[in-house]
Amino acid sequence: MERVSSGSREVDEFLSGGYETDSITAIYGPAGSGKTTLCLLGAIGAVKRGKKVLFVDTEGGISVERMGQLAGGDGSILEHCLFLRPTTFEEQKKQIEKIKDMVNDKIGLIVLDTVGMLYRVERGQSYDPYEIDNALESQISALSEIARVKKIPVLVTNQVYDSLKNDNVKMVGGNLLGYSAKCLIELKNLTGGKIAFLRKHRSLGGKEMAFSIVEKGIIGKVENAL
């Protein structure tokens, strides 16, 4: 299966080469666990391969300064990234539909960070939550189709909540993203660092990587056989 670099040597090792080009990679975890950092590193990696990036930022949390740090001070990285910033779930829906018409062979990565924020707000206000669920499923399906047909890797991050039935965390939106993504990476915050778990992959077994976020990216150590 063809892979492209994640923009991080450690993550490339974790995924045995990087992100698969024909599928969604879902990265989920609590606030501050490193989801956006991995997305920014992925975007930088795509630009360094001579590609452009479509980046949907639903939280308005992308820092130009931070991206510059991760790129080693190379401000030209931003010239190759198109940022879309929906503020409602309806806008998110329209912009993902727009992406379907924007993709071409110059696009090297599509990022949606995060898929669950505006969905959760909309679902909390809706009289018909099933309609909102169907809309989210359609958005994820559209991104999955782009990845599969155009061979463009798609990174989708998601928020989590604690399950009342056990100690496990669940992704916002339930299994809607988990079913479509071929790679699931769970991030957790630890005292003094963070950890990534490979929860699902088409060709790799269980792995974990303890890591820390530093000025120029991440540093970490990969271990097999969870």
Side-chain angles (χ1 to χ4, degrees):
M1 193 66 63
E2 183 180 355
R3 292 178 171 87
V4 296
S5 175
S6 66
S8 162
R9 178 180 58 81
E10 289 83 357
V11 177
D12 285 350
E13 181 184 353
F14 184 56
L15 298 175
S16 295
Y19 299 124
E20 294 183 342
T21 59
D22 67 339
S23 62
I24 292 176
T25 294
I27 304 170
Y28 64 101
S33 59
K35 300 186 297 295
T36 298
T37 296
L38 293 186
C39 290
L40 292 176
L41 288 170
I44 293 167
V47 173
K48 288 183 176 179
R49 298 194 307 272
K51 297 292 187 177
K52 296 183 179 297
V53 178
L54 297 176
F55 202 120
V56 184
D57 173 20
T58 68
E59 296 186 335
I62 301 303
S63 166
V64 173
E65 291 78 10
R66 180 56 176 150
M67 196 168 194
Q69 282 182 341
L70 293 171
D74 184 0
S76 67
I77 293 289
L78 290 169
E79 299 174 7
H80 302 279
C81 298
L82 174 61
F83 291 95
L84 305 174
R85 294 184 170 90
T87 58
T88 66
F89 188 64
E90 181 63 24
E91 287 183 9
Q92 179 175 308
K93 173 185 175 183
K94 291 180 179 179
Q95 291 186 355
I96 289 177
E97 291 174 350
K98 182 179 179 181
I99 285 175
K100 293 171 65 176
D101 298 324
M102 297 171 65
V103 292
N104 53 49
D105 58 5
K106 295 181 180 179
I107 304 299
L109 181 70
I110 297 171
V111 178
L112 173 53
D113 181 32
T114 67
V115 69
M117 179 183 173
L118 299 177
Y119 157 84
R120 187 172 61 179
V121 172
E122 185 75 9
R123 202 175 192 276
Q125 299 173 346
S126 175
Y127 293 106
D128 187 359
Y130 295 105
E131 180 182 356
I132 307 304
D133 287 352
N134 288 336
L136 179 63
E137 184 175 14
S138 295
Q139 293 175 33
I140 295 171
S141 295
L143 292 174
S144 181
E145 181 181 0
I146 291 171
R148 186 177 66 254
V149 175
K150 300 295 186 179
K151 299 296 186 292
I152 299 173
V154 176
L155 297 186
V156 178
T157 70
N158 202 1
Q159 301 169 327
V160 297
Y161 64 92
D162 292 325
S163 173
L164 297 178
K165 295 182 179 180
N166 50 52
D167 295 331
N168 294 327
V169 298
K170 302 292 184 181
M171 281 190 286
V172 171
N175 289 321
L176 293 176
L177 177 58
Y179 286 141
S180 294
K182 302 304 181 184
C183 175
L184 289 177
I185 301 172
E186 180 184 1
L187 304 181
K188 290 185 177 182
N189 291 317
L190 299 176
T191 301
K194 306 176 189 302
I195 190 166
F197 298 96
L198 188 59
R199 298 301 192 192
K200 175 183 176 182
H201 199 281
R202 287 186 289 193
S203 60
L204 301 176
K207 292 184 178 183
E208 65 180 45
M209 177 178 67
F211 70 98
S212 298
I213 297 176
V214 296
E215 181 176 336
K216 294 185 178 180
I218 69 172
I219 53 175
K221 180 180 179 182
V222 179
E223 296 183 4
N224 294 317
L226 294 180

